[in-house]
Structure formats: structure tokens, C-alpha cells
Amino acid sequence: MLFGITGDLAYQKVIPALQAMIQHKDLDVPVVGVARSGWSRDKLLERMRASLADHGGVDEVAFAKLTSLFGYVDGDYTDPATFGRLREALGASERPLHYLAIPPALFEEVIGHIEDAGCAEHARVVIEKPFGRDLASARALNAVIRRVFPEDAIFRIDHFLGKEPVQNLAYFRFANSFLEPLWNRNYVDSVQITMAEKFGVRKRGAFYEQVGAIRDVVQNHLLQVLSLVAMEPPSGFDRDVFLTERFRLLKAIRPLTPDDVVRGQFDGYRSSPGVDPRSTVETYVALRLAVETWRWAGVPFYIRAGKRMAVTATEVLVELKRPPRDVFGEAEATHPNHVVFRLGPDVDISLGARTKLPGDRMRGRDVELVAEHRVGDEASPYERLLTDAMEGDAELFSRQDIVERSWEIVDPVLGDETPVHPYASGSWGPPQADRLIEGAGGWHNPDPPASLHGEAANIRG
């Protein structure tokens, strides 16, 4: 069951994922879309075709198979009769999957009707972020869902965790032994995580007014990336073992205070459709976090996210300490060694080093040793996550204790606890953010796509 099948998320992500699942032979069961749009099935199929045309193209064979599997129930989510028709559409299905791509405000009523109509027995449910607006609402939302579904039947989607480069970050850390001796306070000087987007809020001004950068990408995506960078090695890839290590890492992060945060808003945001002309919602945020573990004591972690930035890039920079002595007197080589995980749109892992320039003098240059990521026929995050949810595999989904701990970290700085500073579109955010990182060498601004610092020495796999 796909609730919200006529919405923007379905158009942008879910419908292309369904076609891909058929292409990869991962979908061969009935699919029922549910919406309150007053549409006919034919109109919905036209929209589905348009979605595919806008996202890679229509595979006529796969689309024919998808339409043969597809049913549609149109009706008001507040009307029990809608769910009676849904029960009929389910037929003899024994383990239905309910995907709620609808506003969280509707969850309680929809889940109640699912239960009353007899559609919850042996079923699973998939819910989209945001999982609440703060800690209190996240707990209330979970209570609503748990009244009907057990924890092992709840799949909380954070599509960032389904991205191939994010999974590769965890794999690279724990599949190779050479990083572990360096991956601690003795050798790491700081860690920076940047999620920059060159575009603005597009047509989502009204939505963005309700969330802002902290709720939109920090509480979920970027804290999860930080946990993958800094967590202890798990004993295996069992779902609960892996998630428990992520939770332990988040538990060690000190909750934020106003002194740890700088918020910004790009010039022109307030004139965007759906935005309050006096809005104080942040489109940029910079954070300084402390991970209070033996491994990371004293190592600052920085997170930066923003709209209308200079480039679109998501990147993790693990900056290593300088050698204890400048043997060659090269004061300009401030931090020659680092590890970069480029998570998008270009994808690579690179190691920063110094090599000698040709000639008589002992002078060097920065080079990047790049492990190129070759994009093959990879599953999209939504294809991968929907397939996993259908199979009951929760490895790449979040867990309630992780959700709650993430809210505990950011809760103290939500809203207008700190001022919002203006910044120019196409910049790297407000200059006030520089104070957070004083003494750590400054912010590392990711390069535009398809370029690297220094000279690249490619290590091809």
C-alpha cells in the first residue's frame, strides 16, 4: 500500500524506484496506491508515466508490468469507507507493507483506520522523515505507531542511509585495517562534514518554513554520517549490532548549546513562495560537536549545511595532525594529510599527502591519492530501501532510540535560540561561522564536481 501516491515524493522518488524494482526482478506482487485526490486510475497512470519520463525514461516493458500490478483506491483518509475498499484491494495478501508518504499529522488517524479495517495484522509499515519536530513529538509519534505495530515491523526511512557512497563509507572503514591505527585523538586533528547545495528551496518554501536546516538534514542525515565516521567497529553486520554501535556513538555526543551553533539565511529567501516575509528560519547552519569517548576526546567535529551555497557537494574531511616537526621548514603545509569521503554528486575516497617537487630543493606539493568510485548499475536509495522493507530487512533503516538521541542532541538549539545571519547566494555562508572553527585551520570548502585539490594520483580498482 502506497499512501500519498499522487504526492511529490511519489513522483520524484517512489514511482521511479518501482520501475527499477521490476527491471531488477525485485517486484512481482500487487501494488495499491492510496490518495485523496479525486483521480481515476487512468489519470494516476498518466502521472506515473510522466514521473518516469522525468526521471530516466519509461521502460515500456517494465511499465506494462507495473500497470498490471497496480491498483488504486481514492478516498478521504478520515473516512473509514476508504479503508474498507483498501481491505478489499488487499484480497488474500498475508504480509502487506504500508508505506506512509503522507504528512506526519495524518499518521495517527491513518494507522487507526488501518487497524480498524483489519489491514494491520502481520503487516509492516514504512514511515518517512521527519520523525517528529523535536524530542517530545518524536516520542508521541512513536507511541501512535507502536499501539498498532511492533518495533520489528516499523521501518523508518532515512534515504541517506540507502545511498551507495554512505554505505561505502562504513565499508571502507571496517573492511580495511590501515585506517584503524590513525582513527583516534592521537592522529586526527578535526572532522568536518559539509552538505552544500547550490540551489535554494525551489517550490518547497512552505515546507521549509516548518523545518529549517537543522530539522531537515542535521538531525537525521548528517548525524547519521557522523556516527558512521566515528562509531566503534561492530562485531558484525547484524542489524541490531550495527545500529547499537551507532546509538552508542550518538549517546556520547554532548547536546548542543547556543555557543556551538551559527545559523544563516540566504538573501532572497524571504521572497520565496510560501515563506514568511519576516522568517527567522535557517537555510544554513554550522555546528561544533564534541564526542566524549576515549577515542575522540578533544577532537572537534564540525557540521555545516546550507542552501544557495557556492557548489553542490556533500563531503567528509578527516584532517590528520601535522608531523611533530617541520623537517623541511615548509610552514605553508598546514595539514598535508587527510582522508576525504566525497558522498555526492561526485563520489570518491581520497587520501591527502605531500610529495617532493622535482629539483635540488626539498620542497613539496599536495597530492590526492584517489580511489575512484565507478558508478555501475546501482540501485537508487529508494529502490534499495523499498526492496529491503518488502523483505523485512531493516539494516538500512533507523531505530527509535537513534531517532530520540538525535533529537536530544539538537533540541536545545531548535527555533530562535540563536540569531540568524544573512549571507549572499553563491557564498559559503555567513562569516560568523568562522568563529566556530578558529584554531582548526578554517573551513574546508569542497571543490566543484569533477575536480580535486592539488595533483591526483589515481588508484584504480
Side-chain angles (χ1 to χ4, degrees):
M1 301 293 116
L2 293 175
F3 289 84
I5 190 62
T6 60
D8 185 64
L9 177 64
Y11 188 90
Q12 301 291 339
K13 303 293 185 181
V14 178
I15 293 168
L18 293 176
Q19 176 177 268
M21 290 169 70
I22 288 176
Q23 290 170 325
H24 295 133
K25 304 188 185 306
D26 290 324
L27 181 63
D28 194 25
V29 296
V31 180
V32 179
V34 187
R36 53 180 181 180
S37 300
W39 290 8
S40 66
R41 181 176 181 274
D42 287 343
K43 183 174 181 178
L44 174 60
L45 293 181
E46 289 176 8
R47 180 173 171 82
M48 290 170 62
R49 176 178 284 277
S51 165
L52 297 174
D54 285 347
H55 298 90
V58 181
D59 178 332
E60 294 295 347
V61 174
F63 186 66
K65 176 71 178 290
L66 179 58
T67 58
S68 72
L69 295 172
F70 215 89
Y72 179 53
V73 172
D74 189 274
D76 195 316
Y77 295 141
T78 65
D79 186 356
T82 300
F83 296 83
R85 294 195 296 275
L86 178 61
R87 175 63 266 178
E88 293 177 8
L90 282 174
S93 299
E94 296 181 357
R95 197 71 194 262
L97 177 71
H98 302 291
Y99 184 163
L100 306 187
I102 56 177
L106 296 173
F107 282 0
E108 183 168 11
E109 185 150 31
V110 168
I111 288 173
H113 285 311
I114 288 173
E115 181 183 32
D116 293 342
C119 300
E121 188 174 359
H122 305 302
R124 302 184 180 107
V125 63
V126 178
I127 59 174
E128 279 279 349
K129 78 166 187 74
F131 312 119
R133 285 182 46 79
D134 51 25
L135 179 60
S137 60
R139 286 174 171 166
L141 172 60
N142 187 59
V144 166
I145 301 169
R146 286 298 306 274
R147 280 203 296 268
V148 177
F149 296 97
E151 178 63 29
D152 63 2
I154 302 170
F155 294 77
R156 301 171 183 85
I157 275 194
D158 182 342
H159 74 271
F160 222 67
L161 296 176
K163 287 178 174 285
E164 188 69 30
V166 175
Q167 294 180 49
N168 195 30
L169 189 162
Y171 185 88
F172 190 82
R173 267 203 67 195
F174 302 125
N176 299 295
S177 62
F178 67 89
L179 280 181
E180 181 59 23
L182 307 175
W183 220 247
N184 55 64
R185 68 186 187 280
N186 296 322
Y187 292 96
V188 174
D189 196 55
S190 67
V191 178
Q192 294 185 33
I193 301 173
T194 296
M195 184 177 182
E197 295 171 323
K198 196 170 184 177
F199 52 86
V201 296
R202 294 173 171 166
K203 297 179 181 179
R204 301 168 70 234
F207 165 79
Y208 211 79
E209 277 290 276
Q210 302 302 312
V211 290
I214 297 176
R215 290 184 172 97
D216 191 33
V217 297
V218 173
Q219 182 273 338
N220 37 71
H221 300 337
L222 299 184
L223 283 180
Q224 294 308 311
V225 170
L226 188 156
S227 71
L228 293 175
V229 171
M231 64 185 270
E232 291 299 312
S235 59
F237 200 55
D238 173 81
R239 179 224 182 188
D240 283 329
V241 170
F242 206 80
L243 292 181
T244 296
E245 290 299 341
R246 280 169 39 201
F247 171 73
R248 287 178 60 194
L249 188 283
L250 293 170
K251 194 70 176 174
I253 298 176
R254 188 171 59 219
L256 292 164
T257 69
D259 288 341
D260 300 319
V261 179
V262 172
R263 297 190 307 139
Q265 186 184 94
F266 68 78
D267 294 337
Y269 169 74
R270 294 176 181 177
S271 61
S272 303
V275 171
D276 186 335
R278 296 170 296 177
S279 175
T280 57
V281 169
E282 77 279 355
T283 61
Y284 169 99
V285 66
L287 310 171
R288 179 181 55 220
L289 301 110
V291 179
E292 297 178 327
T293 65
W294 188 279
R295 180 189 291 264
W296 297 113
V299 177
F301 284 73
Y302 303 99
I303 288 179
R304 190 174 45 154
K307 301 282 191 184
R308 289 279 178 88
M309 303 283 274
V311 301
T312 293
T314 301
E315 184 175 280
V316 178
L317 171 73
V318 180
E319 200 157 42
L320 303 180
K321 293 181 178 180
R322 286 181 51 78
R325 285 185 59 83
D326 293 322
V327 174
F328 305 109
E330 294 184 291
E332 70 274 12
T334 53
H335 281 88
N337 302 135
H338 56 256
V339 181
V340 173
F341 297 91
R342 182 74 169 237
L343 305 180
D346 290 349
V347 178
D348 58 60
I349 299 172
S350 61
L351 311 177
R354 294 278 289 177
T355 62
K356 182 182 176 298
L357 285 165
D360 295 335
R361 300 180 65 194
M362 297 297 283
R363 307 295 292 173
R365 60 185 169 185
D366 292 333
V367 298
E368 297 279 337
L369 309 175
V370 181
E372 287 194 337
H373 181 78
R374 293 171 292 187
V375 179
D377 187 20
E378 295 172 351
S380 72
Y382 274 86
E383 179 191 351
R384 178 179 287 115
L385 292 168
L386 285 173
T387 301
D388 286 355
M390 288 178 60
E391 295 174 352
D393 182 355
E395 196 74 57
L396 298 177
F397 294 80
S398 196
R399 201 170 66 184
Q400 183 62 20
D401 57 352
I402 292 175
V403 170
E404 290 189 13
R405 181 55 190 169
S406 298
W407 280 120
E408 286 174 352
I409 293 168
V410 303
D411 247 21
V413 296
L414 293 176
D416 292 331
E417 291 297 320
T418 58
V420 62
H421 303 283
Y423 65 95
S425 295
S427 71
W428 283 103
Q432 289 83 354
D434 294 344
R435 72 167 175 80
L436 290 180
I437 204 167
E438 288 176 350
W443 293 104
H444 171 83
N445 297 328
D447 295 322
S451 67
L452 290 164
H453 280 313
E455 179 179 304
N458 291 331
I459 304 172
R460 299 184 183 273

